[in-house]
Amino acid sequence: MMEIKIRDANNLDKIPILKFCKNTFSWGDYIEHVWDYWLSEGNLFLAQNQYPVGFCHAVYSKDQIWIEGIRIDPKYRRHNIASKLVKHAETIGMKKNLHFSFMLIDTENSESLCMANSLNYNIFQTWNFYSLEPKTNPNHNVTFVKSLNLKLYSHYVKSWRWLPFDDETLTSLYKKNCIVKSDMNGKNSIALLTDSEHFDNTLIVTLFSNSSESALEVISFLQNFGIEKNYERIQILTREKLPNFNSLEYKISFHLMKKTLV
């Protein structure tokens, strides 16, 4: 049986790790862009045999763990290395008395979903990812929100992490005019705007929509906002299927997986 040791990653691990993080997706991988940031945050866990064969990053906040970036060298898959990494992250979370653990998995990634299910994770929500091209578009009707009913929303997206709402976060978003709303015929759509911490000039939007009409108003605003603020990319995460709109492109869907730790 292969002996695997889990330890904290260090600067010397970057080169061997990136060797097997090049073709994870059809377009490549993003690990080379976030590795240094994750290393500086801490809780970057590495699985090692004689040399690094896998890793994941964990973020501990409020009452939850966010587990991201699980990667295993293809030559060493099917040895439960991913499970060992997740369990390691969970053990630290339980020592911190956290109650929940979350991770995001492509809806078509059957192997990762099977791994998560084996560790008692269940599908909590399903989210869709869209990209929107910034363009001049003055045709929109939105207002800036100064209050939000937290009973209706559990999480928002910040740098591709689904984080729980709290009063401090909301107060900051209100002050920065980062929550917009469109209300059409009594049905509204609300968008939360945050800057990516990992990629320059990238706007990340959490969109909650109750109608296509109000969603189109918000999307038009976002497109124009992107041009005004010199964003190169607009990424929209939403639980809804969005209506057709010029320069709006559906990318992929994810399951938000949840586990209760206690």
Side-chain angles (χ1 to χ4, degrees):
M1 181 178 292
M2 181 183 299
E3 183 178 350
I4 296 295
K5 176 185 177 182
I6 307 296
R7 61 172 174 82
D8 290 342
N10 60 54
N11 287 319
L12 298 177
D13 296 317
K14 183 176 182 178
I15 292 176
I17 285 292
L18 293 185
K19 286 182 179 179
F20 63 82
C21 293
K22 294 181 179 180
N23 302 305
T24 307
F25 308 101
S26 60
W27 46 267
D29 205 333
Y30 59 85
I31 297 302
E32 64 176 315
H33 302 291
V34 300
W35 176 270
D36 292 341
Y37 186 90
W38 286 357
L39 189 64
S40 68
E41 283 187 309
N43 301 309
L44 183 55
F45 305 127
L46 186 132
Q48 179 170 322
N49 184 11
Q50 293 180 334
Y51 45 84
V53 296
F55 73 95
C56 77
H57 186 236
V59 180
Y60 301 94
S61 62
K62 306 301 178 185
D63 199 26
Q64 74 169 44
I65 312 170
W66 178 257
I67 298 175
E68 60 189 357
I70 301 173
R71 299 287 188 276
I72 306 298
D73 186 329
K75 299 190 295 293
Y76 293 91
R77 290 176 183 170
R78 297 182 177 84
H79 289 281
N80 294 319
I81 297 173
S83 296
K84 289 182 173 69
L85 286 163
V86 172
K87 289 178 181 177
H88 180 79
E90 289 175 353
T91 297
I92 294 174
M94 287 186 283
K95 289 179 180 178
K96 295 176 179 287
N97 296 316
L98 304 185
H99 289 80
F100 304 102
S101 182
F102 290 88
M103 64 177 75
L104 196 68
I105 299 178
D106 179 347
T107 57
E108 297 184 0
N109 189 339
S110 58
E111 290 188 5
S112 292
L113 289 171
C114 183
M115 180 274 295
N117 289 332
S118 72
L119 296 175
N120 298 315
Y121 283 80
N122 296 299
I123 297 173
F124 176 58
Q125 296 169 346
T126 300
W127 287 73
N128 305 304
F129 167 37
Y130 292 83
S131 66
L132 177 66
E133 182 181 346
K135 286 185 178 181
T136 300
N137 186 346
N139 301 313
H140 49 78
N141 181 15
V142 301
T143 57
F144 291 101
V145 172
K146 295 300 181 183
S147 65
L148 202 63
N149 184 355
L150 290 186
K151 294 180 180 179
L152 301 178
Y153 314 104
S154 62
H155 290 70
Y156 74 103
V157 184
K158 182 180 181 183
S159 291
W160 283 82
R161 296 166 179 170
W162 272 245
L163 302 177
F165 280 110
D166 58 52
D167 292 336
E168 182 180 351
T169 297
L170 283 175
T171 298
S172 176
L173 291 170
Y174 297 150
K175 288 181 177 179
K176 296 177 182 177
N177 282 335
C178 289
I179 309 180
V180 297
K181 173 182 177 181
S182 177
D183 196 330
M184 304 291 290
N185 300 316
K187 295 183 178 180
N188 61 54
S189 292
I190 294 175
L192 286 78
L193 319 181
T194 59
D195 286 333
S196 172
E197 296 176 334
H198 305 133
F199 298 94
D200 294 335
N201 303 317
T202 299
L203 177 67
I204 298 179
V205 179
T206 313
L207 177 60
F208 304 101
S209 177
N210 288 318
S211 75
S212 295
E213 292 79 7
S214 58
L216 287 171
E217 294 292 328
V218 171
I219 293 169
S220 296
F221 165 81
L222 293 171
Q223 189 171 55
N224 195 69
F225 182 81
I227 281 291
E228 289 183 345
K229 302 299 182 181
N230 297 314
Y231 286 105
E232 296 177 3
R233 289 169 295 276
I234 302 173
Q235 300 178 338
I236 301 176
L237 288 309
T238 178
R239 294 179 63 187
E240 286 71 42
K241 292 290 186 180
L242 298 181
N244 292 330
F245 184 87
N246 184 31
S247 299
L248 179 71
E249 182 181 357
Y250 167 77
K251 292 293 190 179
I252 196 171
S253 295
F254 299 92
H255 290 315
L256 181 60
M257 309 297 293
K258 178 181 180 181
K259 177 179 180 178
T260 301
L261 298 176
V262 294

